[in-house]
Amino acid sequence: MRVLGVDPGLTRCGVGVVDSLPGRRARMAGVGVIRSDAGLTVDLRLLRIADGLEEWLDAHLPDVVAVERVFAQHNVASVTGTAQAAGLAMVAAARRGIPVALHTPSEVKAAVTGSGRADKAQVTKMVTRILRLDDPPKPADAADALALAVCHLWRPAGALHGGERHELTSAQRAWAAAEAAARRKG
Amino acid sequence: MRVLGVDPGLTRCGVGVVDSLPGRRARMAGVGVIRSDAGLTVDLRLLRIADGLEEWLDAHLPDVVAVERVFAQHNVASVTGTAQAAGLAMVAAARRGIPVALHTPSEVKAAVTGSGRADKAQVTKMVTRILRLDDPPKPADAADALALAVCHLWRPAGALHGGERHELTSAQRAWAAAEAAARRKG
């Protein structure tokens, strides 16, 4: 299984692709950051993030997209842009019929470090070790995206849409996406 | 000039199309609400909103898309979905090279009623009068979308991207969108 992790952001949107291997091991297939120029208007910045996400989906064809769950309570000043980038990642996946999973920051930290209150340095250190990387991924957004993907691979069984109602199978999702595409063309 | 007003929301996203007429008059060209089923997962709900926005852009070919500016401070519980729907409207417009304008709720209220603190009933009443409608548009989200479009038409000169840096001309935006499309295909 291949997971694209997305650490959403308007200035820097972290993306990381991780493949599961036998025996609870995992391998990095790609990592990066999609950036938008803070000098552009918000609509063009969001377009840049959306286009960047499409490029990552095209290049890596993930089975699942894991996105950090955005809480309005955190970082009030930047939550709007963060929520919008997360929304673009969800729509891009849904349009392709790819299942989306949302994981909270504390779930991600707990999955890779064992503690839901780990700091960024600990997350980066454990991601580097788990994926057997030569160097720590930088910036932190890139490491967080990889941690999200690892968290998703190591989640408890049945937690794909934890907290969401009406869980859909992959087939149902592909059908919903195809129907949506037909509506657009019709 | 034709403006598509968008009152963003995940459950109900109001859309209203208004054409400017000579002599500070305006005519409604369409109004509606894009709904998403609260029983679906968030990604599929956002896809439904995105598809609905595309349908409105296809059907009405607006010159400008006016979106309500979302503040994280307001309605903390629903701000994430609202911000995400607003982001989808902005990206859909930007991808087509259509300029996007953001207006605050108080700007919209002041534009149509004369008071930035008018209530929803007053906004609906004035929108009905300004656009010479036989009946008040319902629900409130639809009336708010029309009010946004009227607000944009009646804005002070030069306020297209109020508060945004690096204002772009339509030609620059069309070029940016074309470049983005080329990147996607490349």
Side-chain angles (χ1 to χ4, degrees), chain A residues 7-13 36 42 45-46 49 68-87 120 141, chain B residues 70-73 79-80 83-84 90:
Chain A
D7 182 36
L10 184 56
T11 301
R12 288 185 308 277
C13 184
S36 80
V42 174
R45 296 184 71 184
L46 290 170
I49 299 293
E68 187 174 293
R69 189 184 288 274
V70 179
F71 292 102
Q73 289 78 358
H74 300 159
N75 304 314
V76 167
S78 66
V79 74
T80 304
T82 304
Q84 289 170 337
K120 283 193 176 291
D141 314 80
Chain B
V70 178
F71 291 101
Q73 289 78 358
V79 74
T80 304
Q84 288 170 338
M90 287 192 262

Side-chain angles (χ1 to χ4, degrees), chain A residues 43 51 95 166 173 184, chain B residues 39 43 51 95 166 173 184:
Chain A
D43 56 321
D51 286 346
R95 185 157 278 150
H166 288 219
R173 296 185 149 263
R184 281 195 300 281
Chain B
D43 56 321
D51 287 346
R95 186 157 277 153
H166 288 220
R173 298 185 148 261
R184 282 195 299 281

Side-chain angles (χ1 to χ4, degrees), chain B residues 128-141:
Chain B
T128 308
R129 188 179 297 175
I130 291 164
L131 298 174
R132 302 176 185 206
L133 305 177
D134 294 332
D135 297 299
K138 288 180 187 173
D141 314 80

Side-chain angles (χ1 to χ4, degrees), chain A residues 69 100 102 158-169 172-173, chain B residues 10-11 36-45:
Chain A
R69 189 184 288 274
V100 170
L102 301 176
L160 179 59
H161 292 284
E164 302 288 349
R165 283 161 289 173
H166 288 219
E167 187 168 334
L168 300 186
T169 64
Q172 286 174 314
R173 296 185 149 263
Chain B
L10 184 57
T11 301
S36 80
D37 178 352
L40 291 174
T41 52
V42 174
D43 56 321
L44 293 177
R45 297 185 70 184

